[in-house]
Amino acid sequence: MDARELTLASLIRDTSCPGELPVGHQLRRKKDWSWSLVVAALVGAFGSSFLYGYNLSVVNAPTPYIKAFYNETWYRRHGHPIDPDTLTLLWSVTVSIFAIGGLVGTLMVKIIGKFLGRKYTLLVNNGFAVSAALLMACSLRAGTFELLIVGRFIMGVDGGIALSALPMYLNEISPKQIRGSLGQVTAIFICIGVFTGQLLGLPELLGKIWFYTNSIFSKAGIPQDKIPYITLSTGGIETLAAIFSGLVIERLGRRPLLIGGFGLMALFFGTLTVTLTLQDQAPWVPYLSIVCILAIIASFCSGPGGIPFILTGEFFQQSERPAAFIIAGTVNWLSNFAVGLLFPFIQKSLDSYCFLVFAAVCITGAIYFYFVLPETKNRTHAEISQAFAKRNKAHPPEMKTDSAMAEEKANSQPEPDPSSTLDSHGQNQV
């Protein structure tokens, strides 16, 4: 560095106000948020995670019309109305097939991404969304409800691919200083999609959102005509919470938001149990239940809802991320399917104490992450792996980078046992 560079560096350092970031850091932070980077993130999320969130909620509003369509089609084919149990089964399949499609899409990501890469995987994935929309739009005109079910399945495939390819893409195009904030775009657009689906179905909102939220509101003593508007508020709250998380994640870090989110969810689940048990004791208790539900949703969306997408990309090297997202996506979709399927039975068996099950899960998650999860903010993959090794009192060998591994593979040199490397140790601990 010559004298002019030293002088410039000194001026930049000296003109910074006390308590503020140096001017050089501020300029570098502004440079990180380039126009092309922001546009790529927003467009990618709008065509991916937004559609996933929208299709989660939009199916609820037309529930009575879809069931009437099933009944009419059945009568035209068989000459008699459909049996109520059969109708319930068809409707359950229509809703749950979305999660099955998501699981299939998750398993397809690695194969498609291997040939097309992250960017073109997201582009090609739009073909699934268009095909699903056409099938569902044509089902009424064709008088075939099977097209609607198949369309929901294909839309689930679109969601499964999107929730794996998009977080990987955002993780790899963003500088480490803003990796968390940009990664939260996935969760933000999911919430916006859910809110949009709720808003469009507001006049006819009769279904259940957020896994039987409406039945919870009804059980809490809320008048039936007020439930749609209160349910709509859940979409607004989760959108604001996700945006808040994106704004503060690079200041607070991943650990506080994730652990704090689980802790607050456990607290409000416990409070909700108390309010549901005592809802007949005072007229204001049901409204306290509403506050608890909104607080649970806000706590979830500010941390546990979006940060796992970021952490999955940060824990693993580029060559290993597709496999990691397959595992994470599989667990995610199977959990969604299990909760949606089992919650009515849990609610029927435990009544107002059913939320203690979720409180226990949240407490377990908070404790586990407190002892195991290191902070990944502004850290490279090597630094994250070292943090895992230090937290588990391990003495890692020399670090291997992606480029070094690729060079060894190209030269056909024998590689050491992967289980002995630091990366594998850190990943095994995860």
Side-chain angles (χ1 to χ4, degrees), residues 113-153:
K114 182 178 181 181
F115 294 99
L116 300 179
R118 318 288 195 247
K119 174 182 174 180
Y120 289 102
T121 296
L122 292 172
L123 292 176
V124 170
N125 191 38
N126 292 324
F128 289 105
V130 173
S131 301
L134 290 175
L135 286 173
M136 291 186 286
C138 295
S139 61
L140 180 61
R141 185 174 297 273
T144 307
F145 59 75
E146 290 85 357
L147 291 179
L148 180 61
I149 297 175
V150 173
R152 286 281 296 174
F153 172 80

Side-chain angles (χ1 to χ4, degrees), residues 179-329:
R179 194 169 52 208
S181 297
L182 201 68
Q184 276 296 87
V185 170
T186 301
I188 291 172
F189 271 80
I190 290 175
C191 297
I192 294 175
V194 171
F195 182 72
T196 303
Q198 293 174 346
L199 187 63
L200 293 179
L202 181 59
E204 302 292 342
L205 192 55
L206 301 175
K208 295 170 184 178
I209 300 172
W210 271 90
F211 295 118
Y212 308 97
T213 305
N214 281 11
S215 65
I216 298 169
F217 286 143
S218 179
K219 183 177 176 59
I222 306 302
Q224 191 68 30
D225 59 334
K226 298 291 193 301
I227 289 178
Y229 299 95
I230 296 174
T231 304
L232 181 64
S233 67
T234 63
I237 288 293
E238 61 178 317
T239 302
L240 293 176
I243 294 174
F244 168 79
S245 177
L247 293 175
V248 303
I249 189 172
E250 296 301 346
R251 293 179 178 271
L252 299 181
R254 283 60 156 162
R255 266 176 60 90
L257 290 175
L258 192 60
I259 298 173
F262 276 122
L264 288 175
M265 287 174 67
L267 173 64
F268 290 117
F269 272 131
T271 307
L272 178 61
T273 302
V274 175
T275 58
L276 290 177
T277 304
L278 303 177
Q279 64 178 349
D280 298 327
Q281 302 300 317
W284 52 267
V285 175
Y287 295 94
L288 186 57
S289 298
I290 296 176
V291 174
C292 290
I293 292 174
L294 296 179
I296 290 169
I297 293 174
S299 302
F300 172 77
C301 293
S302 63
I307 292 179
F309 292 116
I310 301 171
L311 293 179
T312 306
E314 291 179 331
F315 286 160
F316 298 89
Q317 296 188 32
Q318 187 175 19
S319 60
E320 301 160 341
R321 286 188 192 123
F325 271 94
I326 286 177
I327 296 174

Side-chain angles (χ1 to χ4, degrees), residues 328-387:
T330 300
V331 173
N332 179 40
W333 286 102
L334 289 178
S335 299
N336 285 338
F337 180 77
V339 171
L341 181 66
L342 298 178
F343 181 76
F345 302 99
I346 297 175
Q347 187 181 29
K348 184 177 180 179
S349 301
L350 300 179
D351 196 44
S352 59
Y353 298 98
C354 61
F355 294 103
L356 294 179
V357 176
F358 300 107
V361 173
C362 291
I363 292 174
T364 303
I367 294 174
Y368 176 81
F369 285 124
Y370 179 81
F371 289 104
V372 174
L373 180 69
E375 182 55 67
T376 63
K377 179 184 69 173
N378 291 338
R379 289 183 173 181
T380 64
H381 177 265
E383 293 169 339
I384 295 171
S385 297
Q386 291 172 357

